[in-house]
Amino acid sequence: MKPRVRFAPSPTGYLHIGGARTALFNWLYARHTGGTFVLRIEDTDAARNSQAAVDVILDGLRWLGLDWDEGPLTGDATGPSNGDRGPYFQSQRRENYQRRVEALLSRGLAYEHEGAIKFKMQREPILIPDLVVGEVLRKLTDREEVDPDFVIVRSDGQPVFHLVNVVDDLEMGITHVIRGEDHLSNTAKHIALFNAFGVKPPHYAHIPLILNGDGSKMSKRDQGASLASYLDNGFLPEAVINFLCLLGWSPKENREKLSLAETIERFDLPQILRHNARFDYEKLVWLQGEYARELSGDRFYECAVHAFGKTGLDTNKFPLEYVKAALDTCKGKIKMFSELPAYAGFYFKDEIVYEPEAAKKSFIPENKPRLEKLRDAFSRLEKFDAAGIETALKATAAELGVKVGALVHPVRLATTGNPNGPSLYHLLEVLGKDKSQARIEKAIAALS
C-alpha cells in the first residue's frame, strides 16, 4: 500500500513556519513515494476557530504550491462542483467520533466522569517506534500512576484532540504521521487509542523543532515565524520551499540550492535530522536572491509590479515598454522584491526626494558648473542611449580634469534621489532625455 499522509492544522491564528514545514515534509514524502497527501482542518474547538484563519492556511499552502490530493468537492449551494477539492473539516465529522466513543463505552474502554468521558489508558509502558527519533519507551509518570485515564469528550460534548486525531487517521487510512517533535508526548495516548480500536497504529515520524538562530524557541513575534511575512516581503515561494527543506532535512550532499524536482526525488524520512533546526534568515535571503536572479522576464515583471503596487506606485500609468525597460535594469541587482520601491521607485515618480547624507556629499558648490557642463553635453546627443551617455559623461569628465565618479555621483543623485541603484547610463536611457535633463536642471537650481 502506498503511503497516505496528512497535514492537520488548527485554524486558530496565523500559519507558523513550523506548520508550513510540516505540511511540506508530508507533501514531499507523498510525492516521493507516489502516495496521497490529505489536508484536514482540525476545527473542533469552535470558540477559537475562525474562517479567516482557515483562509490563511489555505492561501499559504496554495502560495507554496502544496496541493492536496483528497477532500470534498467544492462548489456553491445552487450549482455543481467547480472541480476543486476542499480540505476535510473535523467539525463536519462529528458522527464518526460519536460512533467511536460509543464503541469504547460499550466495551468498557471508556467511562463517564463528571459529565465528561474518559478513556481507560493502559498501564503498561508503550513503545513508540519513531522513524526519526528512534524507539521511545513511554512509561507513566508518578502523577499518571495515580490516574492515567484522560478525557476524550469534554462535559460540553466536544470531542478532544486526542480522540478526533486518532479517529480521523484511522478512518482516512493514514499510514505515516509526520509531525513536529512537540507532539511526541501525545503519541503514547494515540497508540493506546489505536490499540483500543483494534487497529495497528500508523508509522510515526516526529521532525525536529525550528529554533531561532540563538537557539531560543521561536515565538509568533520572531522574524520569519509567520508564513504571511514572506508574502508581505516579496519572497518567492520556490525560495521559501528550498529553505524550509533545509530546516531539519539533509540531501546527503553539501548542497543548499535544489530544485523542487530534485528535492522530491531525494526526499525520504531517514534523511530527516535528529537535532533541532536553526532558523538562518541570511541563508533565506541568499536563496531568495539566487531564485530572483534566475526568474524569467515575465515572472520578474509580475513580482516587481506587485511590489511597487504595495507601496502605492502604480506602474499601469506608464507605457508597458517603459516599465519593462526600467525593470530590466533591476534584474539580478536585488534579492528581495520589497527592496524594489526604494531601489527603483524613481522611475515611477514625478518628484524626486534626495537622500540627505548623499546630498551633503554630492550637492556641493563645485558640482554646479560640472552638472551644467554635463547637461550641455547631453543636450547635444542625437541618440540618448547608454553608449552615447557614457561617452559624453567620460568626455566631459576628461575636459573638466576630474574623475568619472565626480560626475556619476551627483548626476545619479539628481536623477534618482539615491546614491545607489541601477547602472547610471542605462537608467538615464530608460528615463529618456527630457526627463533626465529636467531632473538635472532641478538639481542645478537647488545648488544655486
Side-chain angles (χ1 to χ4, degrees):
M1 180 180 178
K2 289 187 176 180
R4 288 175 58 82
V5 298
R6 49 68 164 181
F7 176 52
S10 298
T12 56
Y14 71 111
L15 180 57
H16 190 276
I17 195 66
R21 186 199 54 172
T22 297
L24 172 61
F25 278 20
N26 277 278
W27 184 88
L28 285 171
Y29 188 62
R31 297 295 172 261
H32 174 75
T33 60
T36 301
F37 175 58
V38 176
L39 177 61
R40 185 173 79 218
I41 305 296
E42 298 196 336
D43 62 340
T44 54
D45 190 349
R48 298 179 60 210
N49 300 330
S50 70
Q51 183 58 47
V54 172
D55 293 340
V56 166
I57 292 169
L58 301 185
D59 291 345
L61 294 181
R62 289 178 178 129
W63 181 71
L64 289 171
L66 304 183
D67 53 323
W68 51 97
D69 303 311
E70 193 173 290
L73 290 169
T74 59
D76 59 45
T78 59
S81 162
N82 58 18
D84 294 331
R85 289 195 177 274
Y88 291 107
F89 288 90
Q90 285 185 333
S91 59
Q92 299 170 6
R93 301 169 60 82
R94 294 186 184 278
E95 290 182 2
N96 299 15
Y97 313 134
Q98 183 61 38
R99 185 176 68 252
R100 293 287 179 174
V101 169
E102 289 172 357
L104 292 175
L105 287 168
S106 67
R107 294 167 55 204
L109 297 174
Y111 58 94
E112 293 189 25
H113 176 74
E114 296 180 355
I117 298 176
K118 298 183 76 172
F119 173 72
K120 285 186 178 180
M121 181 63 176
Q122 68 182 70
R123 272 56 176 170
E124 303 81 9
I126 294 179
L127 181 66
I128 305 170
D130 195 279
L131 298 175
V132 175
V133 179
E135 289 192 346
V136 177
L137 187 64
R138 175 74 164 83
K139 299 179 181 180
L140 296 178
T141 65
D142 291 341
R143 187 171 66 85
E144 289 171 336
E145 285 281 1
V146 177
D147 182 15
D149 301 343
F150 58 92
V151 173
I152 55 174
V153 180
R154 293 196 295 262
S155 58
D156 62 0
Q158 291 290 339
V160 304
F161 162 74
H162 301 298
L163 175 74
V164 296
N165 189 274
V166 167
V167 170
D168 281 341
D169 285 348
L170 186 162
E171 298 193 353
M172 293 179 179
I174 300 302
T175 63
H176 293 73
V177 173
I178 305 168
R179 60 189 181 185
E181 192 174 329
D182 51 330
H183 282 290
L184 184 58
S185 60
N186 298 321
T187 306
K189 293 179 179 179
H190 296 178
I191 290 177
L193 279 165
F194 274 107
N195 292 339
F197 290 129
V199 178
K200 182 180 178 181
H203 299 288
Y204 286 95
H206 288 91
I207 59 182
L209 302 179
I210 300 174
L211 304 178
N212 290 315
D214 61 4
S216 61
K217 186 177 180 180
M218 181 176 277
S219 74
K220 64 182 182 180
R221 292 177 295 276
D222 289 324
Q223 184 180 51
S226 170
L227 187 67
S229 66
Y230 300 95
L231 283 78
D232 293 340
N233 288 311
F235 279 97
L236 295 167
E238 51 265 50
V240 176
I241 285 281
N242 191 156
F243 177 70
L244 289 179
C245 290
L246 302 176
L247 290 175
W249 173 77
S250 171
K252 292 185 176 179
E253 296 177 8
N254 190 24
R255 289 184 60 193
E256 295 190 316
K257 186 173 182 295
L258 296 94
S259 69
L260 186 56
E262 287 180 295
T263 304
I264 291 172
E265 180 182 353
R266 295 162 182 259
F267 186 88
D268 208 349
L269 299 181
Q271 292 137 26
I272 295 178
L273 304 175
R274 179 66 189 89
H275 56 79
N276 290 329
R278 297 289 184 99
F279 189 90
D280 186 345
Y281 190 78
E282 289 184 4
K283 181 186 290 186
L284 171 60
V285 172
W286 171 77
L287 281 168
Q288 164 70 17
E290 292 297 296
Y291 280 97
R293 183 170 52 82
E294 297 172 0
L295 283 182
S296 66
D298 286 345
R299 178 92 186 281
F300 184 85
Y301 300 147
E302 178 185 353
C303 294
V305 165
H306 182 69
F308 282 121
K310 290 181 73 171
T311 62
L313 291 175
D314 185 4
T315 57
N316 291 320
K317 296 179 180 178
F318 299 85
L320 181 60
E321 184 179 353
Y322 173 83
V323 174
K324 287 187 173 183
L327 296 178
D328 282 340
T329 67
C330 306
K331 200 167 186 295
K333 304 294 181 63
I334 55 103
K335 293 180 179 179
M336 308 282 294
F337 282 96
S338 56
E339 299 170 3
L340 266 178
Y343 183 81
F346 63 86
Y347 283 121
F348 310 108
K349 294 178 179 178
D350 294 327
E351 295 296 324
I352 299 299
V353 178
Y354 306 125
E355 199 279 320
E357 291 302 315
K360 289 179 183 178
K361 295 178 181 178
S362 292
F363 286 175
I364 53 179
E366 53 264 40
N367 277 340
K368 180 174 181 291
R370 293 172 181 173
L371 282 175
E372 290 174 335
K373 197 163 190 67
L374 184 61
R375 173 203 60 194
D376 295 341
F378 283 169
S379 67
R380 293 191 291 270
L381 289 175
E382 293 185 6
K383 187 177 182 182
F384 199 74
D385 60 8
I389 292 167
E390 181 178 7
T391 299
L393 188 143
K394 289 181 176 179
T396 302
E399 184 178 345
L400 291 169
V402 297
K403 294 181 178 179
V404 171
L407 292 180
V408 166
H409 297 307
V411 77
R412 175 185 291 281
L413 189 64
T415 53
T416 72
N418 298 315
N420 303 299
S423 162
L424 177 65
Y425 309 125
H426 292 88
L427 76 84
L428 291 175
E429 177 183 342
V430 173
L431 285 173
K433 190 173 185 177
D434 291 344
K435 189 176 290 186
S436 296
Q437 290 288 69
R439 293 185 179 185
I440 292 172
E441 287 284 5
K442 182 183 176 182
I444 291 171
L447 278 168
S448 300

